[in-house]
């Protein structure tokens, strides 16, 4: 357990693949945040339900990996579930630009899942999951930080109406911690299971989010 918590640097031979994963993570996070500003959570999760299909297609095209007919057939109800759940919601706000950004986010997430799985299998002996996530988050910050400055979001924080509300900042910190916990759990899942298993398991979360929203 202590070995998992040791902070180790990334080896030179892993830098290129790690940089790609960090870039895809940043695109996924940034595009998703842009999308949810103009579309409803129900629509966002419905578009995200296509993730298992994209992962399967990527594995088939990039790795020539065949999962079997039953796996492909099971993608139909998995993908259709959040869509059906979305029809039960009262409001599904639609925005073409927001939908396009969400499609970009899903595409980035699919490529990231496949590449992350490959990277974890290679790097698992060189560095623990804590080290891997630490450098991944710092690399993502290097990308998203300048992005927020360029598009003006960084400077808009000082004009935020709840900037002095400590309770609100506590909620933001709690959400950030939960996001970190989810990232750790996702990485651990990819250490022992393939990307399609993770994408399929996430469908339950998507359906729950649609219903609760």
């Amino acid at each position: 357990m202590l070995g998992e918590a040791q902070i180790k640097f990334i080896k030179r031979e892993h830098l290129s693949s790690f940089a790609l994963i960090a870039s895809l993570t940043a695109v996924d996070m940034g595009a998703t945040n842009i999308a949810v500003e103009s579309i409803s959570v129900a629509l966002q999760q419905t578009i995200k339900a296509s993730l298992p299909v994209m992962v399967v297609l990527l594995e088939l095209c990039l790795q020539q990996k065949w999962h079997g007919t039953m796996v492909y057939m099971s993608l139909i109800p998995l993908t259709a579930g959040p869509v059906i759940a979305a029809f039960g919601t009262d409001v599904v706000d639609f925005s073409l630009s927001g939908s396009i950004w969400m499609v970009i986010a899903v595409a980035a997430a699919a490529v990231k899942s496949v590449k992350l799985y490959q990277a974890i299998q290679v790097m698992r002996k060189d560095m623990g999951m804590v080290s891997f996530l630490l450098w991944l988050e710092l690399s993502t910050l290097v990308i998203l930080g300048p992005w927020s400055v360029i598009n003006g979001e960084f400077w808009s924080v000082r004009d935020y109406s709840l900037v002095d509300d400590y309770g609100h900042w506590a909620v933001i910190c709690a959400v950030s911690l939960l996001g970190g916990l989810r990232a750790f759990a996702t990485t651990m899942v990819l250490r022992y299971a393939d990307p399609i298993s993770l994408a399929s398991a996430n469908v339950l979360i998507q359906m729950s989010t649609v219903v609760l929203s």
Side-chain angles (χ1 to χ4, degrees), residues 81-110:
V83 178
I84 296 172
F87 279 112
T89 61
D90 295 330
V91 179
V92 179
D93 297 328
F94 176 79
S95 167
L96 179 59
S97 60
S99 299
I100 292 174
W101 276 111
M102 195 58 220
V103 171
I104 293 174
V106 173

Side-chain angles (χ1 to χ4, degrees), residues 50-197:
S50 62
L51 181 59
V53 177
M54 288 192 180
V55 169
V56 165
L57 291 176
L58 281 171
E59 288 188 326
L60 186 61
C61 295
L62 299 179
Q63 304 173 348
Q64 289 75 49
K65 186 176 182 180
W66 177 262
H67 289 279
T69 305
M70 293 303 296
V71 172
Y72 295 119
M73 292 297 293
S74 67
L75 291 177
I76 298 176
L78 281 175
T79 306
V83 178
I84 296 172
F87 279 112
T89 61
D90 295 330
V91 179
V92 179
D93 297 328
F94 176 79
S95 167
L96 179 59
S97 60
S99 299
I100 292 174
W101 276 111
M102 195 58 220
V103 171
I104 293 174
V106 173
V111 179
K112 182 189 71 174
S113 295
V114 175
K115 293 297 183 181
L116 185 60
Y117 175 74
Q118 294 175 336
I120 289 175
Q121 304 312 309
V122 174
M123 299 182 194
R124 61 190 301 175
K125 295 180 180 179
D126 298 330
M127 59 193 305
M129 291 299 99
V130 174
S131 297
F132 185 89
L133 283 175
L134 172 65
W135 298 121
L136 180 60
E137 295 299 324
L138 290 177
S139 301
T140 304
L141 179 62
V142 170
I143 301 173
L144 293 180
W147 185 358
S148 67
V149 173
I150 293 172
N151 64 21
E153 291 181 356
F154 178 82
W155 309 108
S156 64
V157 174
R158 59 188 175 187
D159 300 323
Y160 185 45
S161 59
L162 298 175
V163 69
D164 296 324
D165 187 346
Y166 294 106
H168 194 74
W169 284 107
V171 172
I172 293 177
C173 291
V175 171
S176 300
L177 290 173
L178 289 174
L181 179 61
R182 185 178 186 275
F184 179 78
T186 297
T187 308
M188 289 301 293
V189 169
L190 288 175
R191 189 172 187 178
Y192 301 104
D194 57 7
I196 185 59
S197 300

